[in-house]
Amino acid sequence: MTLVPDPPHPDLHKIPSVERLLQHLAHHHPAWGDMTSGESRAQLRDLVRQVLDQFRQKLLTSPVSETGLSSQEITHYVEREVVKLFEQHQLPSLRPVINATGVILHTNLGRAPLATEAIQAATQIANGYSNLEYNLESGKRGKRHVHCEALLNQILGCESAVVVNNCAASVLLTLDTFCQGGEVIISRGELIEIGGGFRIPDVMRKSGALLREVGTTNRTRISDYEQAITPQTRMILRVHPSNFRLIGFAQSPELEELTALAKRHGLICFEDLGSGALVDLAPYGVSEPMAGVSLSAGVDLVTFSGDKLLGGPQAGIIAGKNDLLDQIRSNPLMRALRVDKLTYSALEATLRLYADGTALQKIPILKALSLTQKQLSQRVRRWIRKFNRIQRNSSVSCEIRWMDGVSLVGGGSAPQVHLPTTLVALRQATCSSTELDTRLRQSSPPIIGRVENDWVLLDLRTVLPHQENALLEGLIRALKH
Ligand SMILES: *Cc1c(COP(=O)(O)O)cnc(C)c1O
């Protein structure tokens, strides 16, 4: 028996050449700029080749009888695929999204959006040279850590402070500076994992500190700490449990008891606060510990994040006693963990809002936190009216209503706080809510909501005022699809 090769697919010869397609694209997409030479043409040619190869492969594996496309139809199909790929390639990897989840400090969505003042400060510094490490009085080399220090000292009421890459870095640096080969006492109830793999015991091990666990998971007394002190003990560490809470039969010593014990034995008392509120958020139902309060209770060093409840750029802040901060600043690791000029400028501008007393009015996450359900429900109704006006004039049909719900603080803080909110709820007869949710996520800019009981839910608490129209347009586009 001889094998007779299949005849080639009759549509193969209708596939346009790379050159013809490139000419066609240059003619039909003038907005793509000069595609006739250089790098961009080479890139485009690669995309065209890729699409043509795929199409050829498709024809080769489909039965010869499935034919009938005209050359023009093939050209159009290939063109559409190239345009899709080209547009995907033009998009940056890191892009803005609309956070309609209602989680204010969403770690996966970049935590805190910056205040206008912080954005302007960073833009100005990015736009040219700066005195990052230059003393303008002496005309000599200066130190970068001076830039936020005076403001931090003023706001926290501390002797000294330093800024590093994030809170994890500030914990690592502090333990590394004082505890290498020495012992650190910590309650078993505070040996936590915060998320993203940040485990306190692991960080301690990396710093060379020896962990001395005391108490039980739910109860630790001051006597447990006292009995664990040996000549090798360097520090008493308290860690704020972040997104984890012990409720019921639980006990831990007051901060004042810990600081007094540390003082009696010549030990450092260090508290990792994590979320680090700088103003009292209790009026909004959020009672996170404030750095200033810990410092006045006699804690020698505190650490917290710049992009959690502070509402600034990603950073970690170490604040406390001057002699201890001097040792931290001269640790060689400081060079590896320091921040850049953009972080300093955005953080300084954010801190200035606290010093001026305007933080609650100007910092986006604090504004989002302080929105009442009444304000949110007015905003939602206004937004739905606007949506309905547009919907009436377009071809989309969709069921839309408002419903009560809760927003979350997020960012590993205040896990038990449920902020009452009003949600926009959507569903479409022609597609499932998971499908609609996916379409919203893939629109531009991506809209991130959630699905619950067959509804797509959007929480406007975390949608910034300047994004409301983009949300409306993106939604209409996704519904039309
Ligand atoms: C969030 C958190 C950290 C880590 O902060 P990053 O800024 O994300 O590095 C460390 N400790 C505590 C208690 C936290 O809540």
Side-chain angles (χ1 to χ4, degrees), residues 33-52:
D34 184 17
M35 285 291 163
T36 51
S37 61
E39 269 305 296
S40 42
R41 185 170 170 89
Q43 258 177 32
L44 191 60
R45 174 181 280 123
D46 283 347
L47 289 186
V48 168
R49 280 221 179 92
Q50 199 180 319
V51 173
L52 288 180

Side-chain angles (χ1 to χ4, degrees), residues 283-401:
Y284 311 111
V286 178
S287 53
E288 283 288 295
M290 293 203 290
V293 172
S294 291
L295 290 164
S296 15
V299 173
D300 299 303
L301 290 170
V302 295
T303 52
F304 53 95
S305 298
D307 56 347
K308 290 186 181 172
L309 287 172
L310 194 154
Q314 181 192 302
I317 289 146
I318 313 174
K321 299 262 159 64
N322 202 17
D323 56 326
L324 301 179
L325 264 300
D326 274 343
Q327 292 180 62
I328 287 174
R329 277 187 285 262
S330 44
N331 185 328
L333 262 186
M334 185 66 213
R335 174 69 186 229
L337 303 176
R338 70 186 192 180
V339 296
D340 77 325
K341 59 194 177 187
L342 300 183
T343 301
Y344 272 120
S345 60
L347 184 60
E348 185 185 3
T350 308
L351 291 171
R352 207 168 286 284
L353 300 175
Y354 284 96
D356 293 348
T358 55
L360 286 168
Q361 288 83 52
K362 292 189 171 163
I363 292 179
I365 63 126
L366 297 182
K367 283 199 285 185
L369 202 63
S370 65
L371 283 172
T372 62
Q373 187 168 29
K374 190 168 162 210
Q375 288 168 319
L376 283 161
S377 113
Q378 280 168 355
R379 202 172 148 200
V380 163
R381 283 169 217 220
R382 209 175 332 118
W383 190 86
I384 290 182
R385 275 199 298 277
K386 226 162 150 184
F387 176 86
N388 283 334
R389 266 201 305 279
I390 298 179
Q391 195 192 15
R392 238 173 278 130
N393 300 324
S394 67
S395 56
V396 304
S397 85
C398 147
E399 190 183 344
I400 187 164
R401 48 178 282 200

Side-chain angles (χ1 to χ4, degrees), residues 111 166-169 171 192 194 198 200 239-240 242 272-275 305 307-308 315 411-412:
R111 286 196 190 153
N166 56 13
C167 189
V171 174
I192 53 161
I194 285 148
F198 182 80
I200 287 293
V239 179
H240 182 58
S242 302
D272 175 25
L273 292 165
S275 61
S305 298
D307 56 347
K308 290 186 181 172

